[in-house]
Amino acid sequence: GGDRFGSAPTDVAGDDRQTGRDRLRRHLWVLRQNDRLRKALKQVIDGRGCSDEDDFQRLVAAGLIKGPTRHSATVRCELYAQYMGPRL
């Protein structure tokens, strides 16, 4: 007996947190391998937009930044800035 869904919310939340951490680590690993993109993201985190159009497009495609132009680019999620900023 028992409710087969009883522990599902906790399990799903745990899985979501792990997936989120894995995604952050994967993005950080890629950025550490690419100095140019690492610097571009740091520039955006620091509120200075993105100085290069190719870097802007790649970071937008990766889902790390957003904005209509490279000059007005911002981090897509504050969590990205909080996690990656000090590690870049």
Side-chain angles (χ1 to χ4, degrees):
D3 184 359
R4 65 187 172 120
F5 298 107
S7 63
T10 302
D11 293 343
V12 170
D15 290 346
D16 287 347
R17 281 192 301 272
Q18 183 62 43
T19 300
R21 281 192 296 267
D22 290 347
R23 184 178 304 116
L24 286 171
R25 287 186 192 120
R26 187 171 44 252
H27 280 308
L28 186 59
W29 185 85
V30 169
L31 290 165
R32 285 181 172 167
Q33 306 307 308
N34 187 321
D35 195 49
R36 184 174 159 169
L37 286 181
R38 183 188 61 76
K39 288 178 181 177
L41 182 58
K42 182 68 172 154
Q43 187 179 9
V44 172
I45 289 172
D46 291 344
R48 297 181 285 134
C50 188
S51 60
D52 183 84
E53 184 65 27
D54 289 336
D55 295 342
F56 169 71
Q57 294 298 330
R58 290 180 71 187
L59 291 170
V60 168
L64 293 172
I65 66 172
K66 62 182 180 177
T69 70
R70 63 186 173 93
H71 302 291
S72 62
T74 58
V75 180
R76 184 170 169 236
C77 171
E78 187 57 33
L79 177 63
Y80 292 163
Q82 292 171 2
Y83 179 81
M84 292 186 200
R87 293 169 173 84
L88 292 176

